[in-house]
Amino acid sequence: MEHLNDSLLPLLGNLHEHITLLANVGHVKDPDLLGQVQASWNHFVKTGQVWAMLIGIIVGYLFKGFTSYG
């Protein structure tokens, strides 16, 4: 029985810390999800990253077309 306790101690020794961590994962600081998405999208467009993404998609599609057979 002592061997069983020695093998379970590393697994269950910090169980209360893991439960506390899991309990804190669900904590929401800012519940305005749509506002966060809108702000992120506006930043994405304002910094010009949307144009880089569109150019990358077009160039990637053309590259695929040039390199594929059939």
Side-chain angles (χ1 to χ4, degrees):
M1 190 68 174
E2 185 176 318
H3 178 65
L4 182 61
N5 287 338
D6 291 340
S7 62
L8 287 178
L9 187 60
L11 296 175
L12 301 177
N14 297 330
L15 186 61
H16 66 282
E17 292 176 10
H18 295 296
I19 291 172
T20 305
L21 178 65
L22 289 174
N24 289 335
V25 169
H27 182 68
V28 177
K29 293 181 181 177
D30 186 10
D32 185 20
L33 181 64
L34 292 177
Q36 291 176 7
V37 170
Q38 183 179 9
S40 297
W41 177 255
N42 289 338
H43 179 72
F44 188 68
V45 171
K46 186 195 239 183
T47 58
Q49 294 179 47
V50 68
W51 295 112
M53 182 184 74
L54 290 174
I55 291 169
I57 289 171
I58 292 168
V59 169
Y61 183 76
L62 291 173
F63 185 76
K64 181 192 81 93
F66 291 139
T67 59
S68 63
Y69 179 74

